[in-house]
Amino acid sequence: MESLPATDALLLTKIAQRDQSALSTLYDRYAKIIHAIAFKSLHSVEESEEVVLDVFSQVWRISDRYDAQKGRVDTWLFTLARSRILDRLRKLQRTTPSTTFSMDATQIESKADDIDLFQEAFLAERRALIITAMNKLPHEQRVVIELAYYQGFTQSQIARKIGIPLGTVKTRIRLGLSKLKSILANEQDL
């Protein structure tokens, strides 16, 4: 008889006890969706992979701080991811303007020669997959996810911006992320 999969909360309890297999299981459940969300904002496979690594390394360090009374594990993970994505966006915004203005024509040409066509194809495919998955979400859920994860609004700001209760925003984000996770998991299995 096959055993039932561990709940996310139980996995976090085991991670807090330094169970690496629990971390691996949680990673397998959420890494793809966190990567997809990060990629939509960062447009970089490397940066998105860094976000995933940052999130799960943070989970390893602070799993004992998770409080089931305050929210679900997936919500907690997506909050950690959102924070890491915003950190990376801020970092990129600080570094990009200074390097952009200092480039001369020879630097631009050498960069063009280094373009990896396979990487570009991978990015285009990944981008299309994410856009397709986001378009499959109900409009109400897609809007709040885009405002939260791609424009950096807090849940309270979203509630004020679109004129709905904060609890409705939280529910739409949770349901939307759950559906997005499911859609992307099904797409990856094809």
Side-chain angles (χ1 to χ4, degrees):
M1 186 162 117
E2 196 175 302
S3 65
L4 294 173
T7 65
D8 293 344
L10 177 60
L11 289 174
L12 275 180
T13 301
K14 289 181 177 183
I15 293 168
Q17 298 166 353
R18 297 300 179 233
D19 183 336
Q20 292 180 352
S21 66
L23 181 66
S24 178
T25 302
L26 193 69
Y27 180 92
D28 290 343
R29 285 184 188 173
Y30 291 101
K32 287 180 185 177
I33 184 72
I34 291 171
H35 187 279
I37 290 169
F39 184 80
K40 178 111 192 239
S41 292
L42 300 169
H43 308 289
S44 164
V45 171
E46 293 83 11
E47 292 291 335
S48 301
E49 288 170 353
E50 287 295 322
V51 166
V52 172
L53 291 175
D54 288 349
V55 167
F56 285 98
S57 116
Q58 187 173 11
V59 166
W60 182 254
R61 287 190 317 272
I62 67 166
S63 56
D64 59 328
R65 295 186 203 163
Y66 169 73
D67 182 358
Q69 301 299 320
K70 292 184 179 178
R72 294 168 34 129
V73 172
D74 57 353
T75 305
W76 184 68
L77 288 172
F78 295 134
T79 301
L80 295 177
R82 179 178 178 269
S83 179
R84 297 293 71 77
I85 291 166
L86 291 175
D87 289 347
R88 293 226 171 251
L89 284 172
R90 286 183 202 110
K91 178 184 168 198
L92 291 171
Q93 288 172 349
R94 281 193 311 265
T95 60
T96 302
S98 61
T99 56
T100 304
F101 292 110
S102 68
M103 293 177 91
D104 65 356
T106 58
Q107 288 175 307
I108 294 170
E109 287 174 19
S110 66
K111 294 281 187 201
D113 292 337
D114 293 337
I115 293 174
D116 182 353
L117 295 178
F118 292 108
Q119 180 76 1
E120 290 297 316
F122 174 79
L123 291 175
E125 182 180 331
R126 182 70 124 191
R127 189 175 298 117
L129 180 68
I130 294 167
I131 290 169
T132 300
M134 287 292 290
N135 287 333
K136 289 180 181 178
L137 293 178
H139 175 75
E140 298 81 14
Q141 293 170 6
R142 188 175 69 245
V143 167
V144 293
I145 288 172
E146 287 175 349
L147 288 171
Y149 289 92
Y150 308 126
Q151 295 184 24
F153 286 98
T154 66
Q155 293 175 344
S156 297
Q157 290 170 327
I158 295 168
R160 284 191 301 274
K161 183 173 180 67
I162 61 178
I164 61 174
L166 179 60
T168 303
V169 170
K170 291 179 178 186
T171 300
R172 287 180 182 176
I173 288 175
R174 182 178 44 80
L175 291 173
L177 290 174
S178 179
K179 286 180 186 175
L180 191 58
K181 176 184 169 190
S182 176
I183 291 167
L184 288 170
N186 289 337
E187 293 290 330
Q188 293 292 328
D189 292 339
L190 296 179

